[in-house]
Amino acid sequence: MLSKAMTDRLNEQINLEMFSSHLYLQMSSWCAYKALDGCATFLSQHADEEMMHMRRLISYLQETGAFAIISGMEAPPKEFNSLQELFEKIYSHEQFITSKINELVHLATTESDYSTVQFLQWYVAEQHQEEFLFKGILDKIRLIGTEGQGLFFIDREVANLAVTTGKETTSMSTTPA
Ligand code: OFO
């Protein structure tokens, strides 16, 4: 059984994951509007992954007999000065999400709630992968540059990532693989 504090914090995380999904879908739309189709596809897939992160949390709350709550949330930003700025925002957003996951792990550990500690390990590993993924994209943008054909090559690189990361599982199971 979850404590009230843990239930509240997991419900907050549900909304953070949903916000992440909205953010990446909006960013995907910005990329499509700018004819950056590879980035648009990649970010659209990533928006789906964030919904899966949200659903895992809902399943876990339900499995423990807690009440999962979907709250209202602000609209994501929709204007970006450049593709580099867009990916910088994603990278710092993922670092923020990592800090929220770390807070959850800290609370679960403090409460000796080892079931939730174990459940959260999936998110700890996921955040490591996502920070690595987005830092890699930013490194490529800085390396290739966005002048001339640079944008075209970056879009193609990110399109390849969409093909790779799109094969990830979308299982809702909260049981560790
Ligand atoms: Fe992009 O990460 Fe969810 O958790």
Side-chain angles (χ1 to χ4, degrees):
M1 186 182 153
L2 299 175
S3 71
K4 161 116 180 43
M6 183 54 77
T7 302
D8 290 348
R9 282 292 294 107
L10 289 170
N11 270 321
E12 266 177 48
Q13 194 64 32
I14 284 176
N15 287 283
L16 283 172
E17 301 294 344
M18 190 185 271
F19 178 80
S20 300
S21 182
H22 289 186
L23 177 64
Y24 299 150
L25 203 52
Q26 182 62 72
M27 287 172 159
S28 166
S29 169
W30 184 90
C31 290
Y33 186 61
K34 302 283 179 185
L36 296 164
D37 296 340
C39 292
T41 302
F42 170 77
L43 288 168
S44 173
Q45 284 180 357
H46 211 79
D48 289 347
E49 281 186 32
E50 296 298 345
M51 287 306 277
M52 185 269 285
H53 298 176
M54 183 200 70
R55 287 176 179 279
R56 284 180 84 102
L57 284 155
I58 291 176
S59 297
Y60 183 70
L61 280 159
Q62 289 173 344
E63 285 165 13
T64 55
F67 186 27
I69 301 168
I70 312 294
S71 306
M73 67 197 64
E74 57 179 310
K78 60 179 185 301
E79 304 289 356
F80 309 97
N81 292 318
S82 65
L83 189 66
Q84 180 164 342
E85 182 193 283
L86 182 148
F87 276 105
E88 279 166 357
K89 280 191 191 305
I90 295 180
Y91 186 45
S92 61
H93 179 71
E94 288 300 336
Q95 288 174 315
F96 167 70
I97 296 293
T98 298
S99 75
K100 302 308 278 181
I101 296 294
N102 288 343
E103 283 176 21
L104 278 168
V105 174
H106 180 73
L107 177 63
T109 308
T110 308
E111 292 187 351
S112 302
D113 178 354
Y114 297 113
S115 167
T116 304
V117 170
Q118 182 174 319
F119 165 70
L120 290 169
Q121 292 316 300
W122 185 90
Y123 288 85
V124 171
E126 181 69 11
Q127 283 312 117
H128 172 76
Q129 285 304 320
E130 293 202 333
E131 285 197 26
F132 175 62
L133 173 69
F134 288 114
K135 181 169 181 317
I137 293 174
L138 267 179
D139 286 346
K140 280 203 173 68
I141 290 175
R142 289 176 186 138
L143 194 69
I144 299 171
T146 51
E147 299 300 317
Q149 293 180 331
L151 215 47
F152 171 79
F153 286 116
I154 289 164
D155 193 52
R156 211 171 57 176
E157 285 287 323
V158 176
N160 289 336
L161 288 174
V163 172
T164 316
T165 57
K167 286 182 188 149
E168 282 175 10
T169 177
T170 52
S171 163
M172 292 310 132
S173 168
T174 63
T175 312

